[in-house]
């Protein structure tokens, strides 16, 4: 992995976005981070903004952070190098362990958000929550994050 990335538009490299499980990073008011595996995600338009819609179950620690923590999240599509993190992020709760440390993930400070992105991702998106509501599934909630900036690894843009 080259480790370098460039800014892209929200709808570029959608094939990678669609086919891979994402890692969503959220943060509490004190700056504590959490990462969760996220399959249910779309990119769409809301009130003229490109947003990521993340579907998160009420039982997740991530739900707690998205509703009570900072009003932001990042979505990261892992490369093979960090794909092992999906199992950890999707099997344990951040209530009990520090999954970022456990998965040996490195973070990159956000340019437009307090929440960082994850190093060695194919795609990363810094998002500000602009809307949230009950999802069609009663156990889940939709969070709509306006995409403030998006990046693609040089490994997929070259
Ligand atoms: C491949 C995979 C995809 C997942 N996708 C979602 C999802 O889209 N939404 C969701 O609420 N949970 C999803 N989960 C479950 C959460 O990632 C899992 O319950 C996690 O442990 C919750 O972590 P948290 O309590 O730290 O938020 C997924 C799990 C896996 C393994």
């Amino acid at each position: 992995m080259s480790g370098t990335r460039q800014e892209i538009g929200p709808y570029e490299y959608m094939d990678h976005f669609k086919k891979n499980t994402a890692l969503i990073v959220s943060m509490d008011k004190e700056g504590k981070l959490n990462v969760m595996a996220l399959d249910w995600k779309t990119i769409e338009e809301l009130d003229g903004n490109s947003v990521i819609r993340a579907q998160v179950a009420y039982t997740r620690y991530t739900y707690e952070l998205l509703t009570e923590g900072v009003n932001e999240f990042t979505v990261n599509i892992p490369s093979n190098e960090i794909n092992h993190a999906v199992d950890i992020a999707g099997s344990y709760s951040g209530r009990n362990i520090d999954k970022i440390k456990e998965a040996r993930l490195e973070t990159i400070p956000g340019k437009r958000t307090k929440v960082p992105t994850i190093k060695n991702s194919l795609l990363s998106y810094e998002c500000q929550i602009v809307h949230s509501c009950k999802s069609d599934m009663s156990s889940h909630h939709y969070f709509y994050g306006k995409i403030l900036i998006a990046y693609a690894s040089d490994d997929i843009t070259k």
Side-chain angles (χ1 to χ4, degrees):
M1 186 106 216
S2 69
T4 48
R5 61 186 191 174
Q6 58 177 272
E7 199 178 323
I8 57 162
Y11 292 100
E12 290 187 77
Y13 306 102
M14 284 296 287
D15 45 337
H16 292 281
F17 180 85
K18 283 183 183 162
K19 75 176 182 217
N20 293 300
T21 301
L23 297 170
I24 181 170
V25 181
S26 51
M27 183 190 259
D28 76 7
K29 289 237 165 75
E30 280 72 48
K32 182 187 164 199
L33 297 174
N34 187 42
V35 62
M36 185 193 94
L38 178 81
D39 259 344
W40 291 346
K41 58 191 169 15
T42 59
I43 298 185
E44 53 193 75
E45 291 298 295
L46 180 72
D47 295 336
N49 294 313
S50 304
V51 296
I52 292 187
R53 187 189 74 183
Q55 192 168 345
V56 178
Y58 292 102
T59 51
R60 315 289 187 236
Y61 182 49
T62 297
Y63 172 79
E64 233 174 277
L65 295 182
L66 294 175
T67 48
E68 294 166 23
V70 302
N71 205 36
E72 301 168 348
F73 58 80
T74 68
V75 168
N76 304 269
I77 302 297
S79 65
N80 286 340
E81 211 161 309
I82 58 165
N83 208 35
H84 63 272
V86 169
D87 278 349
I88 296 169
S91 314
Y92 302 95
S93 177
R95 290 190 186 92
N96 311 315
I97 63 163
D98 178 345
K99 291 189 270 184
I100 292 189
K101 198 170 156 197
E102 193 69 28
R104 300 182 311 282
L105 292 173
E106 292 177 62
T107 57
I108 304 172
K111 201 167 174 182
R112 305 283 304 279
T113 54
K114 292 186 199 76
V115 182
T117 52
I118 297 177
K119 197 172 167 187
N120 293 328
S121 297
L122 295 179
L123 297 168
S124 294
Y125 306 82
E126 297 180 15
C127 301
Q128 179 188 29
I129 299 170
V130 288
H131 181 59
S132 76
C133 61
K134 273 181 141 174
S135 90
D136 304 331
M137 281 174 68
S138 59
S139 54
H140 285 66
H141 200 83
Y142 289 136
F143 292 92
Y144 293 83
K146 177 180 170 184
I147 300 172
L148 303 177
I149 190 165
Y151 311 89
S153 160
D154 286 352
D155 292 5
I156 59 170
T157 57
K158 275 178 190 157

